[in-house]
Amino acid sequence: MRILHLSDTHLERTDAPNARGVNAHDSLRLMLAELRHMQGVDAIVVTGDLADDGAVEAYTAVRELFGEFARRLGEVPVFYTTGNHDEREAFAKVLGSGHPEPGRVLESTQGERAAVSVVAGWRFVTLDSLVPGKVHGQLGAAQLDWLRDVLATPSPHGTVLAFHHPPIALDNPLQLIFGLRDPADLAAAIRGTDVRVVLTGHFHAQLFGLLESVPVWVTPGVVNRIDLTTAPGTERAVRGASASLVELGGPSSPLFHTFHARDPRAHETVYELDAERVRSFVERHG
C-alpha cells in the first residue's frame, strides 16, 4: 500500500495571494506538479485544513485540483479529513464524508463526521478532530466509541487512521497546545487492534513518534512549513510546499519519505513570532 499524504493546503475562496503574500492555490498546484511522476500510488490522504476560511469555493478548488491529479495517477481514491480551519457544513457540501464511497459513516449529535472505506484490503478510517473556534483537537466519546466498534472486526491487511491534530508533540510550546487533547483516550481505543499507522498534519513540520506502539506520522504542510531552527520560544514559518509517501505492508513497513517542491522562493520567511507573542498565544489558548 503506497499512500501520498498531504495536509494543510489552506486554500482561500479566491485564487490569489493571502495577506502574507502566499497564494495557497499555487503552492498546491506546484506540489502536485512535482508529484506527477509518482507511480504505484494506491491512495491519497489529505489530513485537514483544506480551506483557510471554510469557504465553499475553497473546497471546490480542493476537489478539482486533487481530482484531476488522482485521475492522472489512475483514478486513485482521495480521502479528506477536517482541520481546525475547516467548516463542517461547507466541507460536507462539497466533499461529503471525505471518502469517495464510504462503507460506513458517523454523524454524531455534536456534528463530528467520521468514515470508513477499504482499498485493496486496507481499511481507511478518517476521524474529525475539529473543535470549532479552537486550535487544539479533540475526539469525543461518541467518535471513540464508533471507532472501537469499527476496529472490533479486523481488516484483511490492517487499518490506516487519519485525522488532523497529532497525538504526539515535541517539547515545543505551540505544538503542546496545538495537538490532540487526551491522546491517552485514543491510545486506549486502538490498543490491540489492527491499526498500522496514524496519519496527521497541523504542525506544518514532519514528525514521527509512537502512540500505543502504533507509528504516528505528521506530514509537513503544503501552504508553508514551520522552521524549527529558531530560538526557543519563537516560531518562524517559511515558504515551501511538502508532502509525504507512506509505504505499508513491505518487509520494512512502515516507510516514510518526504517530498519538497522546488519553489524558487523556498525558505523565504512567511511570518515570525517572537517569544512575547508566542507566550501570549500560549496563555490565550493553553
Side-chain angles (χ1 to χ4, degrees), residues 5 161-169 180 183 186-187 190 195-201 203 205-219 246 254 256:
H5 178 201
L161 192 58
F163 52 92
H164 186 62
H165 296 81
I168 60 173
L180 186 74
L186 175 62
I190 67 175
V195 175
R196 301 289 180 253
V197 69
V198 175
L199 303 180
T200 67
F203 287 167
Q206 65 193 58
L207 187 65
F208 174 84
L210 298 175
L211 180 71
E212 196 63 29
S213 299
V214 175
V216 177
W217 178 247
V218 185
T219 192
V246 181
F256 304 94

Side-chain angles (χ1 to χ4, degrees), residues 39-57:
Q39 297 181 345
V41 175
D42 300 297
I44 299 169
V45 175
V46 192
T47 49
D49 277 3
L50 311 177
D52 195 64
D53 58 0
V56 167
E57 295 87 345

Side-chain angles (χ1 to χ4, degrees), residues 133-208:
K134 304 295 184 181
V135 295
H136 69 265
Q138 188 89 42
L139 296 173
Q143 198 167 177
L144 290 173
D145 287 344
W146 176 87
L147 177 63
R148 289 187 187 94
D149 191 49
V150 167
L151 297 177
T153 302
S155 192
H157 297 311
T159 296
V160 177
L161 192 58
F163 52 92
H164 186 62
H165 296 81
I168 60 173
L170 295 170
D171 185 15
N172 173 291
L174 292 180
Q175 285 190 7
L176 291 171
I177 65 166
F178 271 41
L180 186 74
R181 297 286 170 91
D182 303 320
D185 293 343
L186 175 62
I190 67 175
R191 183 178 299 131
T193 69
D194 70 346
V195 175
R196 301 289 180 253
V197 69
V198 175
L199 303 180
T200 67
H202 190 44
F203 287 167
H204 292 230
Q206 65 193 58
L207 187 65
F208 174 84

